[in-house]
Amino acid sequence: MTTTPTLRQERDPAMTDDAALVSVRGLTVRYGRRTALDGLDLDLPAGQIVGLLGENGCGKSTLLKTLAGLYADHDGEVRIAGHRLGPQSKAVVSYLPDRSALPERARVRYCLDLFDDFFPDFDRARAEALLSHFRLDPAMRLKEMSKGMQEKAHISLAMSRRAQVYLLDEPISGVDPAARASILDGILHMLDADSLLVVATHLVHDLETSLDSVVMMRHGRVLLTGDVDDLRAEHGASLEQIFREVYGS
């Protein structure tokens, strides 16, 4: 398999806003009286690994769910690969929620069958290669696995769709550092050079060396966004230090 450094060298430079793979304009989502996303504007190009950062409740998960096509009740415009939200946009997006919807008693092999039946772009051989990379037995049941093993199984499924956009919501939270490193390695090994990966996380330190750019959110809006190298040069600090400065922690 391709090593992570080679993979990142093959990535195309960021496209202009006009060629954004994900384009969001004035996106507003409300839950009753609470505004989760407040007129959010965002452009994300292909060939990027983007860290979606922010405090709990800032709108990260709502943004990912909206991009995945799970929220029809919103204002503003969203386009993914040129498509408005709908069947065509869903067909090019692979979404991993922060909580699994798969039955705990299911064996991994059964989950492979589900994805194979449901998603035309699911690459079973790719999924089996990832499971092997993670040393997971397809005969195991999800409920028999540790938290880290379950995360690896979910990553194997989500990253084995031949999608253009991958949306991962806190894929390495709640697992030990060794498991985090293994999960990130698996994600990066299977990521196509022309795809877009958006990772919502609060574990900035673990992801810093893998990210091309970041989007920092607060109160449903973009607080700060930019290329990671440019931000580090501008602030003379690591991304984690910038994160702590921005959020005052």
Side-chain angles (χ1 to χ4, degrees), residues 107-127:
R107 298 184 188 276
V108 175
R109 186 182 296 111
Y110 173 77
C111 297
L112 292 173
D113 292 338
L114 282 180
F115 271 63
D116 216 355
D117 290 340
F118 197 76
F119 298 110
D121 63 353
F122 183 66
D123 187 336
R124 190 178 185 115
R126 181 170 172 168

Side-chain angles (χ1 to χ4, degrees), residues 137-150:
D137 182 354
M140 290 188 69
R141 297 184 188 274
L142 294 177
K143 72 172 187 175
E144 298 170 344
M145 296 179 171
S146 66
K147 173 68 173 176
M149 294 170 71
Q150 288 183 16

